[in-house]
C-alpha cells in the first residue's frame, strides 16, 4: 500500500487508506465467517496497521502466554504478531534466517527511524524528535556521584493501568542534573508503593516531587512507609497541574536538554527500566502521536520543580564536631 520511505510520512495518504479499509475493503468480509489478514510494515503511528492496532488496544489487548510477540484481542477474535529482528538483548529473534551480526551491521547503516519500522515493527516519528540522543547531553563514564550536592526525583503515577509509573532520579553536581536511575513500569500504583520507597532509600533522595491529580492519599502512603523503614530524610512535595501535557513538554524542553545529563546510548539494556524509558524519551515527537509520553513528562515535572523554578534547596554539608 505504501511505497516505502517515500510515502511513509504522508499522513493524508494514510488517512485515505484507512477510510478505504473501513468503507470498501472490510465490507467484503462483514460476517463472522470471513477472516481478514493484513501483513506489512508498520511505518508510522498513522498508517492503517497502526490505526487498527490502536483501535484493538483501546478495547483491550493481552500478551499471549505461550507465544512471544503475540497480542490477543480481549474477545479473542483476533491477534497482532509483531516480531522484531533483534530482541531487547540485541540478539536475533530468528537466527536461522538472520544472524545477529548481520542484523547489527544493517542497524549501524540505517537511520533509527527506518530500523524501527522495517526491522523492529515499532515505528517512531521521523520528525520532531526534540529529545533524540544527538541533542541530549550524555555521560559515558559515571561521574563521582558521591560529590552530588543533592539527590532529587520526580514521580508521575500511573492512571487506570494504561500508563507507566515513571520516576526519574537525578544527582545534582554543580549546575547539572545527572540522570542515574529510572523507575519505569506499567503496573498499578498499589503494586509500586514499596518499590518507590526502596528507590528513595537506595539513592538517599532528599526531595521527591509528585504529580497527583487523582489519588490524594499517595503522599501520605509514601511518607508512612518511609517512616516504617526509618528513613526520615526525604521531603515529598505534591503538585497539581491542569496544563496540557504536550504544551508543558514544549515549554520546558530546553530545560531538559540543557541541564539534564543522560546515560549514553547503549549503557543500559532495553529490558531495564532505564533502557525502556530512554527508548520512549528519545522517540518522543511533537509532530506525530506518541504511544507513551510518561517518561518525558516525568522529566518535565522534574525540570519544573528543580531547574526552572529557581528555588534553592538546602544542600547536604559537613562540619567538624569539635566546633560544637
Amino acid at each position: 500500500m505504501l511505497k516505502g520511505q517515500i510515502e511513509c510520512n504522508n499522513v493524508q495518504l494514510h488517512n485515505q487508506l484507512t477510510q478505504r479499509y473501513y468503507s470498501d475493503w472490510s465490507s467484503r468480509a462483514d460476517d463472522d465467517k470471513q477472516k481478514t489478514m493484513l501483513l506489512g510494515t508498520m511505518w508510522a503511528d498513522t498508517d492503517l496497521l497502526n490505526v487498527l492496532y490502536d483501535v484493538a488496544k483501546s478495547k483491550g489487548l493481552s500478551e499471549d502466554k505461550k507465544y512471544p510477540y503475540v497480542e490477543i484481542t480481549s474477545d479473542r477474535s483476533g491477534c497482532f504478531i509483531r516480531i522484531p529482528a533483534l530482541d531487547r538483548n540485541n540478539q536475533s529473534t530468528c537466527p536461522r534466517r538472520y544472524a545477529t551480526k548481520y542484523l547489527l551491521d544493517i542497524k549501524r547503516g540505517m537511520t533509527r527511524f527506518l530500523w524501527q519500522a522495517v526491522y523492529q515493527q515499532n515505528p517512531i516519528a521521523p520528525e520532531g524528535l526534540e529529545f533524540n540522543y544527538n541533542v541530549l547531553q550524555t555521560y559515558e563514564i559515571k561521574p563521582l556521584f558521591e560529590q552530588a550536592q543533592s539527590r532529587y526525583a520526580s514521580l508521575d503515577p500511573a492512571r487506570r493501568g494504561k500508563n507507566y509509573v515513571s520516576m526519574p532520579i537525578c544527582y545534582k553536581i554543580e549546575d547539572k542534573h545527572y540522570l542515574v536511575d529510572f523507575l519505569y513500569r506499567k503496573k498499578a500504583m498499589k503494586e509500586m508503593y514499596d518499590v518507590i520507597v526502596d528507590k528513595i532509600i537506595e539513592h538517599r533522595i532528599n526531595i521527591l516531587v509528585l504529580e497527583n491529580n487523582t489519588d490524594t492519599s499517595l503522599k501520605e502512603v509514601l511518607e508512612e512507609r518511609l517512616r516504617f523503614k526509618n528513613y526520615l530524610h526525604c521531603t515529598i512535595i505534591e503538585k497539581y497541574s491542569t496544563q496540557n501535557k504536550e504544551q508543558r513538554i514544549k515549554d520546558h524542553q530546553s530545560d531538559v536538554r540543557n541541564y539534564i545529563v543522560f546515560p549514553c546510548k547503549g549503557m543500559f539494556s532495553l529490558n531495564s527500566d532505564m533502557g525502556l524509558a530512554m527508548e520512549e524519551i528519545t522517540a518522543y515527537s511533537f509532530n506525530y502521536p506518541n504511544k507513551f509520553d510518561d517518561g518525558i513528562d516525568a522529566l518535565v515535572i522534574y525540570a519544573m520543580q528543580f531547574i526552572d523554578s529557581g528555588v534553592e534547596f538546602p544542600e547536604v554539608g559537613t562540619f567538624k564536631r569539635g566546633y560544637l
Side-chain angles (χ1 to χ4, degrees):
M1 292 186 292
L2 299 174
K3 296 177 181 178
Q5 189 181 9
I6 298 173
E7 296 179 344
C8 65
N9 298 331
N10 191 333
V11 177
Q12 183 178 2
L13 176 60
H14 295 173
N15 292 336
Q16 291 173 355
L17 292 172
T18 300
Q19 293 307 311
R20 286 184 65 186
Y21 172 81
Y22 283 113
S23 62
D24 298 334
W25 303 332
S26 61
S27 64
R28 294 173 172 82
D30 57 359
D31 57 68
D32 294 338
K33 296 181 180 179
Q34 300 291 335
K35 301 298 180 184
T36 304
M37 179 182 292
L38 292 88
L39 299 95
T41 298
M42 301 180 82
W43 282 106
D45 284 339
T46 52
D47 68 26
L48 176 59
L49 292 176
N50 278 275
V51 168
L52 295 178
Y53 177 81
D54 289 338
V55 169
K57 186 177 179 181
S58 67
K59 297 179 179 178
L61 281 175
S62 58
E63 295 181 0
D64 188 84
K65 296 180 180 179
K66 184 176 181 181
Y67 299 104
Y69 311 116
V70 176
E71 294 175 276
I72 309 294
T73 57
S74 57
D75 60 2
R76 304 195 66 81
S77 64
C79 71
F80 288 84
I81 305 173
R82 297 192 301 166
I83 304 177
L86 292 176
D87 63 19
R88 289 187 175 181
N89 296 313
N90 269 339
Q91 298 297 312
S92 173
T93 57
C94 188
R96 294 179 64 182
R97 177 66 178 89
Y98 295 113
T100 297
K101 182 180 182 304
Y102 171 78
L103 291 172
L104 290 173
D105 289 340
I106 291 179
K107 182 180 180 180
R108 279 190 286 269
M110 297 183 75
T111 63
R112 183 166 181 262
F113 164 70
L114 281 178
W115 170 259
Q116 287 295 115
V118 178
Y119 282 90
Q120 295 297 94
Q121 295 300 305
N122 184 30
I124 61 173
E127 299 176 357
L129 300 179
E130 300 298 333
F131 304 101
N132 206 352
Y133 273 108
N134 60 357
V135 299
L136 297 180
Q137 300 180 74
T138 60
Y139 62 85
E140 295 184 1
I141 302 175
K142 289 186 176 181
L144 298 174
F145 288 135
E146 61 269 16
Q147 297 178 0
Q149 299 143 339
S150 300
R151 303 169 185 227
Y152 303 142
S154 59
L155 174 61
D156 186 14
R159 294 169 179 82
R160 300 183 300 277
K162 293 183 178 181
N163 306 95
Y164 283 88
V165 177
S166 186
M167 179 180 169
I169 299 168
C170 296
Y171 291 0
K172 184 182 179 185
I173 301 177
E174 297 179 351
D175 65 336
K176 299 296 184 182
H177 299 252
Y178 289 81
L179 181 65
V180 299
D181 203 352
F182 215 120
L183 188 61
Y184 195 70
R185 300 180 192 177
K186 192 189 290 186
K187 290 189 175 182
M189 279 306 301
K190 291 183 179 180
E191 300 178 51
M192 297 299 295
Y193 292 149
D194 287 327
V195 180
I196 293 169
V197 166
D198 289 342
K199 282 292 183 184
I200 292 173
I201 297 173
E202 175 188 351
H203 290 279
R204 305 196 302 278
I205 292 173
N206 308 124
I207 300 173
L208 168 70
V209 58
L210 61 89
E211 184 181 47
N212 200 359
N213 295 336
T214 54
D215 182 5
T216 56
S217 66
L218 180 57
K219 179 176 183 289
E220 288 74 16
V221 170
L222 295 178
E223 288 177 335
E224 180 181 350
R225 297 189 181 216
L226 284 169
R227 284 194 297 269
F228 179 77
K229 294 191 176 185
N230 200 32
Y231 187 82
L232 309 175
H233 312 295
C234 180
T235 300
I236 299 178
I237 301 174
E238 211 167 24
K239 293 288 185 180
Y240 299 89
S241 176
T242 57
Q243 186 182 14
N244 175 270
K245 183 184 292 189
E246 183 177 357
Q247 188 60 49
R248 178 169 62 189
I249 295 173
K250 283 184 178 180
D251 291 345
H252 297 277
Q253 57 180 301
S254 61
D255 293 327
V256 173
R257 291 195 299 265
N258 295 330
Y259 292 96
I260 298 179
V261 186
F262 296 82
C264 67
K265 188 175 183 179
M267 181 176 287
F268 289 86
S269 169
L270 279 179
N271 57 9
S272 66
D273 286 17
M274 176 75 87
L276 182 58
M278 288 302 300
E279 186 78 3
E280 301 289 353
I281 290 167
T282 54
Y284 182 85
S285 171
F286 290 120
N287 296 352
Y288 291 87
N290 297 277
K291 291 183 178 178
F292 296 106
D293 54 13
D294 308 296
I296 185 60
D297 190 42
L299 281 174
V300 165
I301 294 171
Y302 180 96
M304 291 171 65
Q305 179 66 34
F306 301 112
I307 297 173
D308 187 56
S309 67
V311 177
E312 294 293 333
F313 295 103
E315 297 179 351
V316 177
T318 61
F319 63 90
K320 292 185 179 181
R321 300 177 68 180
Y323 290 161
L324 297 179

